[in-house]
Amino acid sequence: MHEKQKLLAMIRKYDFMLYDLQLYLDTHSNCAEALRLWKSVQNMRQKALSAYVRQFGPIQPSQADGSAPWIWNQGPWPWKKEAN
């Protein structure tokens, strides 16, 4: 698996974990351990996301740095074979 796919897989894994923890915290809002874990996973996700954006460019338009040329639409689109 290439680095790009590894980082995307990590981001997806962290997103799933965060959503699962969010559902748990919705019903167990005073659980300090779950909240600590949510913060930890959020931090790991942010690091993986930053690494991806730094190496391969933005995933979302809000991650573009605003420099010229506009890089959000550069590179292969997700549905193109070379993007996957």
Side-chain angles (χ1 to χ4, degrees):
M1 189 181 288
H2 298 298
E3 184 66 19
K4 185 175 186 178
Q5 286 81 16
K6 284 182 186 178
L7 284 170
L8 282 174
M10 287 174 55
I11 292 167
R12 281 190 225 108
K13 177 180 77 171
Y14 295 143
D15 283 342
F16 179 83
M17 292 171 69
L18 287 168
Y19 185 67
D20 196 42
L21 285 164
Q22 172 192 330
L23 292 175
Y24 181 81
L25 284 164
D26 284 348
T27 57
H28 300 80
S29 58
N30 292 324
C31 181
E33 183 179 347
L35 188 55
R36 179 196 54 76
L37 184 56
W38 188 89
K39 289 177 183 179
S40 175
V41 174
Q42 180 70 10
N43 186 38
M44 291 185 291
R45 182 194 183 276
Q46 185 56 45
K47 287 179 182 177
L49 184 60
S50 294
Y52 183 93
V53 171
R54 189 173 48 256
Q55 293 178 39
F56 304 107
I59 294 176
Q60 300 174 334
S62 62
Q63 295 164 332
D65 62 8
S67 62
W70 179 247
I71 63 168
W72 165 245
N73 62 352
Q74 303 297 311
W77 292 92
W79 54 86
K80 298 287 187 174
K81 182 178 180 179
E82 59 270 12
N84 296 303

